[in-house]
Amino acid sequence: MKGVLLVNLGSPDSTKVEDVKKYLDEFLMDERVIDVPWILRAFIVKGIILRTRPKKSAEAYRKIWWDEGSPLIVLSRRLREKVEELVSVPVALAMRYGNPSLEAGLKELYDKGVTEVLLIPLYPQFAMATTETILVLAEKLRKKLFPDMRFTTLPAFYNHPDYIRVLSVSIQETLQDKDWEHLLFSYHGVPERHIRKSDITKSHCKIDGQCCNTPSPAHQFCYRHQCYETTKQVAAYLGLKEGMYSTSFQSRLGKDPWLQPFTDKTVAGLAENGTKKMAIVTPAFVSDCLETLEEIGMEAREDFLEKGGDEFHVVPCINDRDDWVKVLARWMDEWAKEEELLATN
């Protein structure tokens, strides 16, 4: 029997400091998020970050929390419910960190008799700290608890025509009655070393401005290339001219080199250089969350206006849009039919 598991990042159970601390501990102690030896990671996370960060993060979560709970969890549940209405196979939801856990999601499918699972990490672009960590944990759980299950993974869909169309249309609809001069594509940042570690050629990714535009097998797992490719294809779909848009990276942590240009500096720079009306979209996120609602919708907006900007338009994530739901459902059905053909041959 076939089934699908949608997997998103996760969220604290509540805005209480202790719940935020528990969530951050699980998230930041992941060796693919802070990829240093365990003893150093424990010192950084437990000895430094968790002493001060949970209180500040809890305050940020309170600003964006909904009556139903965490926006990311609520939106992910809505997406699962809508998709399941359109497909003939069971669909479960899991989070890499927090609840519902990856183990709980797999068990839900297992209890329904599912033995063939399509894993769908809800990230358009591949990264060590997102897609890879989901797949590693899922395989670990499969071997330990669900040995009869077989996994197939939906590849990164950063350049899939269906995804590009949905994202582009969502931008068009949001901005159709808005006046704007510049559209910023803001992606979640990662350390530069993550790009190099994911380079299967071990030599292509130099982050020198050329490697992302030079064809290579490394692009299959290169987050930076995939971000810029998403921007390129959406800009082409929308007919944007050079200078009307740009790409940046948000949410850096620590002092190691992270992907640039940084979103906060880019937003401030646009305002300081005379841009009065800007729009921003966050294509690394499928669901609105702390990074989109608070970091972009509140902090970046405030910075832009303080630096002299007049209008700041935020394009929502694709969330549970009907066209996105239909795309996901079609991908699931295509996988299920393909599996049936393989089984009969």
Side-chain angles (χ1 to χ4, degrees), residues 34-217:
I34 298 182
D35 53 324
V36 297
W38 185 90
I39 191 69
L40 178 57
R41 186 164 66 253
F43 173 74
I44 294 171
V45 176
K46 299 178 184 293
I48 301 176
I49 297 176
L50 294 185
R51 291 180 181 272
T52 57
R53 185 76 172 266
K55 183 178 180 181
K56 182 179 179 181
S57 294
E59 292 172 355
Y61 274 110
R62 290 188 196 107
K63 294 178 184 178
I64 58 101
W65 210 258
W66 293 351
D67 290 342
E68 307 101 302
S70 160
L72 181 142
I73 302 293
V74 173
L75 289 165
S76 298
R77 284 175 176 160
R78 290 177 185 172
L79 178 65
R80 185 205 67 79
E81 290 166 1
K82 285 187 174 183
V83 169
E84 194 168 42
E85 290 180 359
L86 300 181
V87 297
S88 58
V89 298
V91 181
L93 174 68
M95 300 292 146
R96 175 57 183 86
Y97 314 103
N99 296 304
S101 68
L102 200 53
E103 179 179 337
L106 289 171
K107 188 174 187 306
E108 179 182 334
L109 294 175
Y110 179 82
D111 289 344
K112 292 179 179 179
V114 171
T115 55
E116 297 180 30
V117 179
L118 175 62
L119 294 171
I120 301 184
L122 291 172
Y123 307 107
Q125 301 83 19
F126 177 94
M128 269 178 57
T130 55
T131 310
E132 184 174 310
T133 188
I134 286 173
L135 303 184
V136 170
L137 178 58
E139 181 59 18
K140 181 179 178 181
L141 291 169
R142 187 196 67 79
K143 289 180 177 179
K144 180 180 179 181
L145 303 171
F146 313 104
D148 295 332
M149 276 186 164
R150 185 165 67 90
F151 292 160
T152 302
T153 304
L154 182 75
F157 47 88
Y158 68 98
N159 62 347
H160 195 292
D162 289 343
Y163 167 69
I164 296 299
R165 173 176 50 80
V166 169
L167 177 59
S168 300
V169 170
S170 76
I171 295 171
Q172 281 179 323
E173 291 179 355
T174 300
L175 301 180
Q176 61 184 352
D177 58 349
K178 307 287 194 307
D179 188 14
W180 58 275
E181 304 162 60
H182 191 90
L183 174 61
L184 181 62
F185 291 76
S186 178
Y187 298 84
H188 201 287
V190 300
E192 290 184 358
R193 67 178 182 273
H194 283 202
I195 303 299
R196 295 187 175 94
K197 282 187 175 183
S198 298
D199 181 2
I200 57 175
T201 72
K202 303 303 180 185
S203 62
H204 180 79
C205 296
K206 296 179 173 60
I207 316 180
D208 59 1
Q210 297 298 320
C211 55
C212 283
N213 296 316
T214 305
S216 170

Side-chain angles (χ1 to χ4, degrees), residues 255-272:
K255 297 181 180 180
D256 289 340
W258 281 55
L259 293 182
Q260 295 190 45
F262 299 136
T263 293
D264 54 355
K265 295 184 183 302
T266 301
V267 168
L270 284 168
E272 291 170 343

